[in-house]
Amino acid sequence: SRRTAGTGTSCCPAMVSMAGAIEAGDFVRDEWLGRVAEAFRQAGSFVFETDCGDQSFSFVARALAELDYVNFYGTDITARKRAEAELRLAQDALKHQNRQLVELNLEKNEMLGIAAHDLRNPLTQIVGSADLLLIAPQMDPREVQEFLTIIKNGAGHMIHLVKNLLVVSANESGQLKWSPTAVAVESAVAQIAARHAASAAQKEQKFRFSLPRDPHVIWMDRHALTEVLDNLISNAVKYSPRGKNIFIS
């Protein structure tokens, strides 16, 4: 290409004969005039890359100042460019997968912590009720039945928690399956308080209820509500001083 190109940018034989036919008209005229000017400014050779349609090329431009001419020697690098693009996509996909794995691991750890906390509460109820049955063998049959019910309910709650944990692990999503249903709030509160009656009695605590007479029915997952209420009441028993009242309203 001559520095004084007039109506178009010409191609040297090296450009035309390289892999893949290249016509001078495929290249942007101003770009090649700029390359010619740059070669003369540098008074030597330089390497640059450019695209032509769906192909990519690497050129070595060498200025021949004494001839007022620039030689362009080109190499088809389309395959390399495509490989680099595929590699970038693969790296981005790998980074995304790594982020997902980190998030799933955090969710798993959080779920394990929640499960451990939630399992501890029914276990405490079961152990407390069993201890009372052991130290009072002549207990009134109605009280025995009450504590056995607490043990049974606590065991059932633990089974549900374990099932949810297995579902989360299987789905690798950290989301529980909800089954909304009509739930009477006052009845649910009374049942949870009964579970913790033995633990409260050991600390000489008493539950004081202030609940409306008319039942409040809400639409939600019964087990989820049970877990929330169980945590609230168990923490109230655990952190309240000995001999204090626990008000539930």
Side-chain angles (χ1 to χ4, degrees), residues 42-80:
Q42 296 192 16
S45 61
F46 70 96
V47 179
F48 66 94
E49 296 179 357
T50 188
D51 295 325
C52 174
D54 60 353
Q55 292 179 283
S56 299
F57 302 95
S58 174
F59 287 102
V60 177
R62 183 170 178 235
L64 304 175
E66 64 277 9
L67 300 178
D68 195 27
Y69 199 84
V70 176
N71 281 333
F72 291 92
Y73 299 92
T75 303
D76 190 338
I77 59 171
T78 303
R80 191 196 79 191

Side-chain angles (χ1 to χ4, degrees), residues 16-216:
V16 178
S17 62
M18 67 183 184
I22 303 176
E23 297 179 359
D26 292 332
F27 296 92
V28 179
R29 179 177 182 274
D30 291 341
E31 177 185 351
W32 285 92
L33 288 176
R35 300 296 186 186
V36 171
E38 185 177 353
F40 280 109
R41 281 198 304 272
Q42 296 192 16
S45 61
F46 70 96
V47 179
F48 66 94
E49 296 179 357
T50 188
D51 295 325
C52 174
D54 60 353
Q55 292 179 283
S56 299
F57 302 95
S58 174
F59 287 102
V60 177
R62 183 170 178 235
L64 304 175
E66 64 277 9
L67 300 178
D68 195 27
Y69 199 84
V70 176
N71 281 333
F72 291 92
Y73 299 92
T75 303
D76 190 338
I77 59 171
T78 303
R80 191 196 79 191
K81 285 292 187 180
R82 288 175 180 171
E84 291 174 350
E86 292 175 357
L87 179 60
R88 285 193 297 271
L89 289 175
Q91 290 174 335
D92 291 341
L94 183 59
K95 290 179 180 178
H96 179 67
Q97 290 176 352
N98 286 337
R99 286 194 297 268
Q100 286 185 319
L101 288 174
V102 170
E103 292 173 0
L104 287 173
N105 189 55
L106 292 174
E107 291 177 359
K108 179 202 69 176
N109 292 337
E110 181 181 2
M111 182 56 61
L112 286 175
I114 294 173
H117 180 270
D118 290 344
L119 286 171
R120 182 178 58 190
N121 292 334
L123 278 172
T124 300
Q125 299 162 12
I126 291 173
V127 172
S129 298
D131 286 341
L132 289 175
L133 291 173
L134 289 173
I135 64 176
Q138 304 302 322
M139 186 180 297
D140 183 274
R142 288 175 297 182
E143 293 182 343
V144 172
Q145 184 65 33
E146 179 181 345
F147 286 120
L148 289 176
T149 301
I150 292 174
I151 292 174
K152 182 179 182 296
N153 290 339
H157 186 50
M158 289 174 60
I159 291 174
H160 176 74
L161 290 173
V162 171
K163 286 182 178 179
N164 276 339
L165 188 60
L166 292 175
V167 170
V168 172
S169 176
N171 293 337
E172 295 183 354
S173 63
Q175 296 180 351
L176 301 177
K177 291 184 178 180
W178 305 106
S179 300
T181 185
V183 181
V185 178
E186 292 79 9
S187 176
V189 171
Q191 290 177 4
I192 299 302
R195 290 184 185 179
H196 295 277
S199 299
Q202 289 178 347
K203 296 181 65 176
E204 300 178 356
Q205 298 168 336
K206 292 183 179 180
F207 290 120
R208 301 297 184 183
F209 295 94
S210 178
L211 302 176
R213 294 182 179 179
D214 296 330
H216 286 73

